[in-house]
Amino acid sequence: MKVAIGADHGGVELKQDLISLLKELNIDYTDVGSHCADSVDYSDFGLPVAEMVANGEADRGILICGTGIGMSIAANKVKGVRCALVHDLFTAKVTREHNDTNVLAMGARVIGPGVALEIARVWLSTEFEGGRHARRIDKISQYENRVTGG
Ligand code: RB5
């Protein structure tokens, strides 16, 4: 598995903790930034990570900003991306099983690094259940194709 990871200034510290987790799990990753604490725009990092997932350069994406909201809104504008904003372990597991989410967004000002790392661990290791859930996702993809003409 290859993961693309990005954060704005609100999430840059947590991004480093998540990168340490990816290394521990032997997961290949691309860090798109930001690389410092200066104020930046979450969309400049959320959109490239989402595009990497959409075009197959990465299998999954992880995005962190202050709340995770801006990142999740941006990522979900990219065709083929299903991004979940997650702040608890139950949702981390079920959004993989039911929604086959390929991007995880978290808010570094909402949860601490301990919870965030456990969420990432669960989200990275949980499989999609398919079946009736695949039918539901297909309907979203069909809608996406219809409105984008592709
Ligand atoms: C930046 O101050 C903050 O707005 C951003 O990190 C995020 O919370 C946006 O949704």
Side-chain angles (χ1 to χ4, degrees), residues 5-75:
I5 187 164
D8 73 356
H9 52 288
V12 76
E13 250 180 70
L14 179 55
K15 176 163 68 61
Q16 285 318 118
D17 295 335
L18 287 159
I19 286 173
S20 299
L21 175 70
L22 295 173
K23 286 180 180 163
E24 178 197 318
L25 298 174
N26 279 317
I27 294 176
D28 191 15
Y29 68 91
T30 302
D31 178 3
V32 306
S34 173
H35 300 290
C36 67
D38 296 349
S39 182
V40 291
D41 299 333
Y42 57 80
S43 24
D44 289 338
F45 302 91
L47 291 169
V49 164
E51 283 187 343
M52 285 181 73
V53 173
N55 70 26
E57 279 178 78
D59 304 297
R60 304 270 193 93
I62 298 179
L63 292 169
I64 316 106
C65 63
T67 60
I69 296 172
M71 285 295 199
S72 59
I73 291 171

Side-chain angles (χ1 to χ4, degrees), residues 96-100 127-137:
R96 283 289 311 132
E97 290 173 343
H98 290 196
N99 313 121
D100 198 16
E127 294 299 320
F128 178 47
E129 282 179 1
R132 67 186 187 284
H133 303 298
R135 184 184 69 235
R136 291 160 187 167
I137 288 170

Side-chain angles (χ1 to χ4, degrees), residues 68-88:
I69 296 172
M71 285 295 199
S72 59
I73 291 171
N76 277 315
K77 296 292 179 193
V78 177
K79 188 177 173 184
V81 166
R82 291 177 300 281
C83 175
L85 172 57
V86 174
H87 290 136
D88 66 275

